[in-house]
Amino acid sequence: PEEIFKLECLTRLVCGGNMLKGTISPLFGRLTNLKAFDARVDQFRGAIPESIGNLTALEYLDVSWNDLRGALPSTIGGLTSLVYFDVSQNE
């Protein structure tokens, strides 16, 4: 739900293994305090949104085992705090 993107103080979002479906919303970039996003083994499809570049505090990103497709957004290069990054087992 879009309401989750109003949680500006959120630092961890762990939803892996819940078989969530749909795309990763461009509104995801509003969670600027997010340090960890774990959505492995879900059913997300489409591309990782460019707005992920707004998550400059992000240290952990795991979206492995989904149905994500396309090139990684260039904005990922600006995530200088990122220490763990897994997009394996996608298209």
Side-chain angles (χ1 to χ4, degrees):
E2 287 190 22
E3 290 76 23
I4 200 164
F5 303 111
K6 296 177 182 176
L7 302 175
E8 297 174 2
C9 295
L10 190 66
T11 60
R12 290 180 46 137
L13 180 55
V14 179
C15 55
N18 288 297
M19 304 309 281
L20 298 175
K21 297 179 181 182
T23 60
I24 298 174
S25 172
L27 298 177
F28 191 68
R30 292 184 179 177
L31 301 175
T32 55
N33 289 308
L34 200 64
K35 292 186 177 187
F37 179 53
D38 182 348
R40 61 187 158 180
V41 194
D42 280 320
Q43 294 180 4
F44 286 114
R45 59 181 167 72
I48 296 173
E50 291 282 334
S51 64
I52 198 163
N54 296 339
L55 307 181
T56 56
L58 196 64
E59 299 171 353
Y60 180 98
L61 175 62
D62 190 343
V63 290
S64 60
W65 294 93
N66 279 280
D67 192 24
L68 298 173
R69 299 168 187 250
L72 294 173
S74 61
T75 56
I76 283 182
L79 301 179
T80 57
S81 297
L82 200 60
V83 294
Y84 185 88
F85 176 65
D86 190 350
V87 292
S88 63
Q89 304 301 319
N90 283 285
E91 294 295 317

